[in-house]
Amino acid sequence: MFLNTLTPKFYVALTGTSSLISGLILIFEWWYFRKYGTSFIEQVSVSHLRPLLGGVDNNSSNNSNSSNGDSDSNRQSVSECKVWRNPLNLFRGAEYNRYTWVTGREPLTYYDMNLSAQDHQTFFTCDSDHLRPADAIMQKAWRERNPQARISAAHEALEINECATAYILLAEEEATTIAEAEKLFKQALKAGDGCYRRSQQLQHHGSQYEAQHRRDTNVLVYIKRRLAMCARRLGRTREAVKMMRDLMKEFPLLSMFNIHENLLEALLELQAYADVQAVLAKYDDISLPKSATICYTAALLKARAVSDKFSPEAASRRGLSTAEMNAVEAIHRAVEFNPHVPKYLLEMKSLILPPEHILKRGDSEAIAYAFFHLAHWKRVEGALNLLHCTWEGTFRMIPYPLEKGHLFYPYPICTETADRELLPSFHEVSVYPKKELPFFILFTAGLCSFTAMLALLTHQFPELMGVFAKAFLSTLFAPLNFVMEKVESILPSSLWHQLTRI
């Protein structure tokens, strides 16, 4: 009787009011999410309802730093997608080519190798090379795309005289083992040191001699750095550390090679954590460009102090101590700088050979870091467990939208495109974790859209929608009516009559 008395106007008013209310809720939820990065309904349920049900509130500090988001826009902008030479790049002949022989896959992309060719031309050539036949040949060799043509040109240059850059090319691309590469680099050192000393005496005699001395300096630094890396590969870690320290003292201004990152990795292998801290104190400075090696090594040292006794259950009961809080903050800092590293350290994603160039804060840098530093994290008891328990909390600390940043300048949006150029096609490129829309926003949006559609249909076809509503309600209450009929048939009529009177 009640359904039969309802008019089409009632259905129009009902659906219109419902769509209006759900629309207002959707607008408020979206505004709150844009400002605070979480759903208002979810926050209320977590903050007030969950404690009443016996849950633990782990979300109390989610928005404590959201007010700092506006200050990030005033930070000095940097080149977002500048590609850097990988400080820990492998040897083409002894390592990259061996991977190709075994798997049949090319670990380096054409874009990456082209960048290396440009680096070689910048570091190992100068305008006066045409005056010396061997250097003129090597100047053409660095531009060759065919590896065999480059190797043949290097041998041709060595037939003329002892050419340091020719030895470098053969050590990088022709040597099939690290031991062979080391022998060639030692020959290159002998030739390069002589050229460096001669050009050092003539560097003030004109711009041409100054450019030649700059080239000879780059060649000498490159050779010594690669010799130190050979020693590190062959297990002579202490010798490698000494060579790196001497190189940094001899050429303190050549920070573009990032030799300190090689030094940090070697010191971690020796477990000389005090020396690692001393290097970090010098290079982890606000005025210097950060890297995953700097940020994650700092996090590892702080995690080392507490990770062996850290327990998430105990921490949730008693709270974090000062040392644990410092370790968690260091991990959050590192993850904000490069959010792709934890999946490789926690072995949630498979590693590949690192490229010769990396994009800071990108997947390529994460691969290059984890490839060499995963063993150091495993060596520290409980460090990976602490990382596993805390790294995802970083994304709740960063104000929304994520591009605002928290401790660093905004995360570049072009890293995915650049990483796809640097990394091989068989690797699935990691992308920056996005904050997903909360369930209640999606639910409210769906409810608003559904009720708005019902309001429109009811306005256009009121009688048809009235019939549909009656049929829907009848179908909805059909199970209840069926149960009531069964109860009436089972219970005695007198008892049922008394119950209905009550």
Side-chain angles (χ1 to χ4, degrees):
M1 184 183 301
F2 172 74
L3 294 178
N4 291 331
T5 57
L6 298 178
T7 63
K9 292 183 178 180
F10 170 79
Y11 293 108
V12 173
L14 176 64
T15 53
T17 304
S18 301
S19 61
L20 176 63
I21 293 174
S22 58
L24 293 175
I25 295 174
L26 174 63
I27 293 172
F28 174 76
E29 280 281 284
W30 181 255
W31 168 82
Y32 196 89
F33 178 74
R34 291 283 297 177
K35 187 173 183 180
Y36 299 108
T38 185
S39 165
F40 174 77
I41 298 176
E42 288 184 1
Q43 186 183 21
V44 169
S45 62
V46 169
S47 302
H48 301 287
L49 300 181
R50 190 177 176 186
L52 296 177
L53 299 176
V56 180
D57 183 14
N58 295 324
N59 210 26
S60 59
S61 61
N62 285 0
N63 302 310
S64 60
N65 297 302
S66 60
S67 60
N68 296 332
D70 296 335
S71 64
D72 293 310
S73 60
N74 298 324
R75 297 183 180 180
Q76 182 180 3
S77 61
V78 299
S79 179
E80 289 187 342
C81 288
K82 180 180 178 181
V83 177
W84 301 73
R85 184 79 177 176
N86 182 8
L88 297 168
N89 67 305
L90 306 178
F91 296 83
R92 281 195 190 178
E95 293 172 313
Y96 287 120
N97 286 349
R98 293 172 68 87
Y99 177 84
T100 304
W101 298 338
V102 173
T103 64
R105 292 177 170 180
E106 291 290 343
L108 298 177
T109 63
Y110 173 76
Y111 175 70
D112 192 15
M113 291 188 289
N114 187 48
L115 290 175
S116 296
Q118 296 176 19
D119 292 340
H120 296 152
Q121 294 174 49
T122 302
F123 293 142
F124 303 150
T125 63
C126 65
D127 295 336
S128 63
D129 283 347
H130 65 279
L131 301 176
R132 295 176 299 277
D135 289 334
I137 293 174
M138 288 307 302
Q139 192 174 40
K140 295 179 181 179
W142 294 120
R143 298 192 182 100
E144 285 285 350
R145 294 186 179 181
N146 188 344
Q148 290 303 321
R150 290 196 296 270
I151 293 172
S152 299
H155 283 293
E156 183 181 349
L158 287 176
E159 291 176 0
I160 298 175
N161 62 12
E162 295 289 308
C163 180
T165 54
Y167 282 121
I168 289 176
L169 192 148
L170 295 177
E172 291 286 353
E173 302 193 26
E174 188 181 42
T176 57
T177 64
I178 300 297
E180 292 179 15
E182 186 180 35
K183 291 179 181 178
L184 290 169
F185 274 122
K186 287 181 178 178
Q187 293 176 283
L189 178 61
K190 184 178 179 181
D193 192 52
C195 292
Y196 172 76
R197 295 185 185 281
R198 286 193 297 270
S199 63
Q200 189 178 30
Q201 297 173 356
L202 301 173
Q203 62 175 316
H204 301 297
H205 292 187
S207 58
Q208 177 180 335
Y209 293 102
E210 186 176 351
Q212 184 176 342
H213 176 66
R214 188 182 308 114
R215 190 278 308 268
D216 293 337
T217 303
N218 291 335
V219 170
L220 185 63
V221 172
Y222 185 90
I223 294 171
K224 289 187 175 183
R225 187 241 191 91
R226 291 305 255 179
L227 277 172
M229 294 176 70
C230 287
R232 169 69 182 90
R233 295 282 203 286
L234 295 172
R236 306 195 307 270
T237 310
R238 295 189 183 278
E239 179 185 343
V241 168
K242 184 179 184 305
M243 295 172 68
M244 292 173 193
R245 290 188 185 277
D246 293 342
L247 186 57
M248 294 169 65
K249 290 178 181 178
E250 187 177 359
F251 302 98
L253 299 179
L254 291 181
S255 59
M256 59 182 175
F257 288 102
N258 293 325
I259 304 172
H260 61 276
E261 297 197 9
N262 298 89
L263 179 60
L264 285 173
E265 195 279 327
L267 290 173
L268 286 172
E269 178 64 22
L270 295 175
Q271 302 184 42
Y273 297 111
D275 293 336
V276 172
Q277 184 61 56
V279 175
L280 285 178
K282 182 177 180 181
Y283 288 96
D284 193 3
D285 185 77
I286 192 64
S287 62
L288 296 174
K290 294 293 184 295
S291 67
T293 302
I294 294 292
C295 295
Y296 278 89
T297 302
L300 176 60
L301 291 187
K302 291 189 177 180
R304 177 176 170 267
V306 297
S307 60
D308 57 336
K309 300 179 181 178
F310 178 78
S311 170
E313 294 80 9
S316 63
R317 290 194 304 268
R318 59 174 170 77
L320 295 175
S321 63
T322 303
E324 291 173 338
M325 184 64 71
N326 291 336
V328 171
E329 289 177 354
I331 290 175
H332 285 176
R333 171 179 179 261
V335 174
E336 182 182 346
F337 181 83
N338 193 317
H340 312 293
V341 173
K343 286 190 175 181
Y344 293 107
L345 293 180
L346 298 172
E347 299 182 81
M348 301 165 63
K349 193 173 181 182
S350 59
L351 274 172
I352 61 172
L353 294 185
E356 292 185 337
H357 289 80
I358 60 173
L359 185 67
K360 288 194 174 183
R361 309 188 74 179
D363 191 30
S364 53
E365 185 193 32
I367 292 171
Y369 172 79
F371 187 85
F372 290 98
H373 289 262
L374 175 58
H376 306 319
W377 279 81
K378 286 185 174 181
R379 190 177 294 118
V380 178
E381 182 182 357
L384 290 176
N385 177 49
L386 180 60
L387 177 68
H388 175 73
C389 296
T390 58
W391 75 277
E392 290 181 328
T394 305
F395 307 116
R396 295 193 299 268
M397 302 287 290
I398 303 175
Y400 189 85
L402 295 175
E403 289 77 13
K404 286 184 178 180
H406 174 57
L407 298 173
F408 296 99
Y409 50 87
Y411 187 84
I413 60 176
C414 60
T415 54
E416 181 180 355
T417 303
D419 278 331
R420 291 188 188 279
E421 296 290 332
L422 288 171
L423 298 172
S425 58
F426 58 81
H427 173 73
E428 182 182 353
V429 176
S430 178
V431 297
Y432 188 70
K434 303 293 183 182
K435 274 194 175 181
E436 297 181 356
L437 289 176
F439 166 76
F440 282 104
I441 288 185
L442 299 175
F443 175 77
T444 309
L447 180 64
C448 177
S449 302
F450 179 71
T451 54
M453 181 184 68
L454 286 181
L456 179 62
L457 292 175
T458 306
H459 182 267
Q460 294 293 329
F461 312 102
E463 296 181 359
L464 180 62
M465 292 301 294
V467 174
F468 173 77
K470 292 176 183 178
F472 175 76
L473 293 176
S474 300
T475 305
L476 184 65
F477 287 106
L480 180 61
N481 293 332
F482 177 77
V483 172
M484 294 296 294
E485 291 176 1
K486 290 294 183 182
V487 171
E488 288 181 4
S489 63
I490 294 175
L491 294 178
S493 57
S494 59
L495 177 60
W496 181 254
H497 180 67
Q498 294 296 328
L499 289 176
T500 55
R501 290 185 61 184
I502 294 175

